[in-house]
Amino acid sequence: MKESLGIIDDEGNLFGVINIIDALVVVFIIAVLVAGASLVLTGDGESSSAPTTGTTNVTLDLGTQPEYITSQISIGDSYSPSENADLTITDIYFTPQDESTRAVVRAELSAPSSGETIQYSGAPPRYGRQLEVLTETYSTKGTIRDVGGGSELTTTETKVVVRANLSETDARRLSEGQPIRVQGREVATIESVTTYGTNNPDKKTVFLGLTLQSVTNGGQQAFGETRIRPGASLSLPTGAGLVKGEITRVGAMTQRGQPATRDVKLQLSNVSPLLANSISPGMTESFGGETIARISAVQRENATIVTKGENGDIYEQAHPINQDVTFTANLSVRETDTGVTFKGQTLQQGRVVILDLGTVTIKATVVSGYQ
């Protein structure tokens, strides 16, 4: 009977075939190959799980900028604050702000993804975070006002009425259809102009109907830094220079109410004969071909004065010189749900109105005809 072979025979061969030392060398080589393959496979796994690049859009408020900066800002400008982060300007919005220009841009951020956001230059793009924009021609920074959405800023045509006090010369430089531009971009249009005289013949009160190119800021429409609401101040570079006014109405381009005319009885009390005789029928307050008021009838009589006698009695008598003037004027008014207005003010008995009649400016008291 043949004797079975052991694992290692007397000569040191494995299964009587391979020398044990050679077998160990083969095992070592196989282990090295397996380890190398493991490293290669592990490396492939790591590269496949490397962070992916994501993009998001933000609105950056650059604040007021000098002309030499705004003239350089262009769509397509880009900046890379780090190796794996990029910022590219995709839209631009300019508005006037006093003597300067306010710049707001839309920008696309590209950076490694992290959950539902990206890590742009080490942190997510959060509201209020400041980002730098450095190019070959300019350097600036802006505050994030909005995150997400499309690549363009959403602008809205917003109608407003603005009241401003101007010199007569500047008031005459304003006209309907006049565009308002900043850095060559149209940001507003003058749709209507209504001009009234004041107690200063060199000054005018002007109501401007405007269409503004506004954007949404914090859930409200804004024109630059101005939240569009009644009472807000607004600055506009026009053909008359920088016009500073106050928003009186939003959502319309005319004053409140329907236009109409009213014959209103007005009175001047205890005035000099020179002033009394300067008022006559046919006189008008007009501006730019539009008549605001026309006097149709005038009555004069000696003014009444009250004196006190030696015994303490009160006496009423005619003034020897001064006169009372009562006259009727056809006024261009607006009829509203709450009453009739003239030059933006409600007409009431006893209210003082100002008429610039060209040769004379008067302050007259409303007597009747205002309802």
Side-chain angles (χ1 to χ4, degrees):
M1 182 174 180
K2 188 174 180 180
E3 185 178 353
S4 62
L5 296 175
I7 295 176
I8 300 176
D9 61 13
D10 293 339
E11 295 181 359
N13 293 323
L14 185 64
F15 299 112
V17 178
I18 302 175
N19 185 277
I20 186 63
I21 295 176
D22 293 337
L24 291 173
V25 171
V26 171
V27 171
F28 177 75
I29 292 173
I30 292 173
V32 170
L33 292 174
V34 171
S38 175
L39 288 174
V40 171
L41 292 174
T42 302
D44 290 343
E46 288 178 351
S47 62
S48 64
S49 63
T52 58
T53 299
T55 61
T56 191
N57 295 305
V58 298
T59 298
L60 284 181
D61 187 346
L62 306 181
T64 55
Q65 298 288 335
E67 193 274 338
Y68 63 83
I69 294 290
T70 56
S71 64
Q72 297 298 318
I73 300 174
S74 301
I75 293 175
D77 290 349
S78 61
Y79 168 57
S80 298
S82 58
E83 184 178 353
N84 59 354
D86 294 286
L87 179 152
T88 303
I89 293 177
T90 58
D91 201 5
I92 302 170
Y93 174 70
F94 290 138
T95 53
Q97 184 173 325
D98 294 329
E99 302 289 345
S100 302
T101 297
R102 192 175 194 88
V104 177
V105 300
R106 192 72 170 156
E108 181 186 82
L109 304 183
S110 176
S113 297
S114 177
E116 296 182 356
T117 184
I118 61 173
Q119 291 291 319
Y120 178 81
S121 193
R126 303 184 183 94
Y127 285 82
R129 182 184 172 188
Q130 284 199 328
L131 301 182
E132 287 187 320
V133 182
L134 304 178
T135 72
E136 293 182 354
T137 57
Y138 65 89
S139 170
T140 187
K141 63 176 58 177
T143 302
I144 296 177
R145 298 300 188 194
D146 191 27
V147 180
S151 60
E152 296 182 352
L153 287 159
T154 301
T155 59
T156 303
E157 289 191 350
T158 304
K159 301 174 182 179
V160 298
V161 177
V162 172
R163 176 176 179 163
N165 295 317
L166 304 175
S167 69
E168 181 175 358
T169 301
D170 287 343
R172 292 189 182 279
R173 292 175 179 169
L174 301 176
S175 60
E176 294 181 8
Q178 194 175 98
I180 296 172
R181 294 186 175 93
V182 177
Q183 292 297 317
R185 297 167 180 262
E186 188 170 324
V187 298
T189 304
I190 298 175
E191 306 289 357
S192 64
V193 182
T194 305
T195 305
Y196 299 130
T198 68
N199 59 354
N200 183 341
D202 296 324
K203 297 292 183 180
K204 302 295 180 182
T205 295
V206 180
F207 286 86
L208 297 175
L210 301 167
T211 299
L212 305 178
Q213 297 298 325
S214 64
V215 296
T216 302
N217 185 353
Q220 293 184 342
Q221 292 303 117
F223 185 71
E225 69 167 358
T226 301
R227 297 290 180 90
I228 299 178
R229 55 178 178 77
S233 298
L234 200 65
S235 298
L236 299 168
T238 70
L242 186 67
V243 173
K244 296 183 178 181
E246 177 184 304
I247 297 175
T248 61
R249 195 180 184 195
V250 177
M253 293 181 294
T254 58
Q255 299 174 67
R256 195 175 304 279
Q258 296 298 317
T261 60
R262 287 289 174 88
D263 286 328
V264 179
K265 183 174 289 187
L266 303 168
Q267 188 176 69
L268 297 175
S269 299
N270 197 26
V271 297
S272 69
L274 180 63
L275 178 56
N277 291 324
S278 68
I279 303 169
S280 59
M283 297 182 73
T284 63
E285 176 178 325
S286 302
F287 193 89
E290 182 179 357
T291 299
I292 309 300
R294 181 184 298 274
I295 296 177
S296 59
V298 180
Q299 293 180 339
R300 303 178 186 86
E301 59 183 8
N302 284 1
T304 300
I305 59 174
V306 177
T307 61
K308 187 176 182 180
E310 294 181 358
N311 58 0
D313 292 337
I314 303 298
Y315 298 95
E316 186 178 277
Q317 62 186 41
H319 194 287
I321 299 176
N322 289 351
Q323 295 182 332
D324 291 338
V325 183
T326 302
F327 60 97
T328 301
N330 185 258
L331 306 181
S332 293
V333 299
R334 300 192 73 88
E335 298 175 340
T336 73
D337 293 337
T338 57
V340 178
T341 65
F342 176 66
K343 295 188 176 183
Q345 296 183 327
T346 302
L347 280 179
Q348 294 177 325
Q349 185 173 6
R351 189 76 179 254
V352 174
V353 297
I354 297 171
L355 299 180
D356 181 355
L357 302 175
T359 57
V360 63
T361 298
I362 60 175
K363 296 180 179 180
T365 302
V366 174
V367 177
S368 63
Y370 52 87
Q371 294 180 338

